[in-house]
Amino acid sequence: MKFSDVQEEQWEELRPYLDTCMLPVTGMSGEEEPYEATAALERLRDVMDLIEIPFKGRVVTYPALHYVGGHAAVDMINDVCASLRASGFRYIIVATASGKLDLARIQADLLLEPDQAGELPSGADVKERVSLMWNPKEPS
């Protein structure tokens, strides 16, 4: 569910069911040619679809951070994650299709990003990772 689909008068009723927020991160620098920006947004859409479609009704997608890079990127993303958590979201998913960002220190519950070969995670992998985030396996 996109943030813009949530009406003010519905929010308190929906809040208990929408405990997860997705923060998309495009990871553009501003140096992209128009066709490169289009391709980056299309790849981000593909990653977002892996969450939005199968988990509609439990995940709220927030507006994307488009232009983030450099050393301040991690701090900016972590600040947004902290604010989203403070606003009541129990789980935060950061999703990106950019392979240019070093997001190892992101303070989200789940990070979806391309692997080292630039491949996006599969739908089955994402479903498994989200399920584990919501229902962690107890150690034996």
Side-chain angles (χ1 to χ4, degrees):
M1 172 177 276
K2 299 218 183 304
F3 67 95
S4 59
D5 293 337
V6 179
Q7 302 301 314
E8 181 179 358
E9 57 276 357
Q10 297 173 311
W11 179 234
E12 288 308 316
E13 181 182 333
L14 293 174
R15 184 187 294 262
Y17 307 103
L18 298 171
D19 64 350
T20 305
C21 160
M22 177 169 50
L23 177 63
V25 179
T26 311
M28 293 188 295
S29 67
E31 297 174 351
E32 295 81 10
E33 300 294 338
Y35 61 89
E36 292 172 318
T38 299
L41 290 169
E42 288 171 349
R43 266 181 68 82
L44 182 61
R45 177 208 54 215
D46 294 345
V47 173
M48 292 168 60
D49 284 351
L50 294 170
I51 295 288
E52 287 180 322
I53 293 170
F55 300 109
K56 185 176 183 175
R58 183 151 181 199
V59 177
V60 178
T61 301
Y62 265 67
L65 295 175
H66 291 297
Y67 298 98
V68 295
H71 303 294
V74 170
D75 292 338
M76 177 190 296
I77 295 167
N78 281 339
D79 286 348
V80 174
C81 287
S83 294
L84 291 168
R85 197 172 307 280
S87 75
F89 288 103
R90 182 170 177 189
Y91 303 102
I92 309 293
I93 300 170
V94 171
T96 186
S98 173
K100 299 176 185 176
L101 298 171
D102 180 13
L103 301 179
R105 297 179 320 161
I106 292 298
Q107 296 173 0
D109 298 290
L110 181 60
L111 173 61
L112 298 178
E113 63 182 337
D115 62 20
Q116 292 196 355
E119 295 296 317
L120 299 178
S122 70
D125 180 50
V126 170
K127 285 180 184 178
E128 180 179 342
R129 291 174 65 193
V130 171
S131 293
L132 284 172
M133 176 185 70
W134 286 335
N135 301 302
K137 293 182 178 172
E138 295 295 323
S140 304

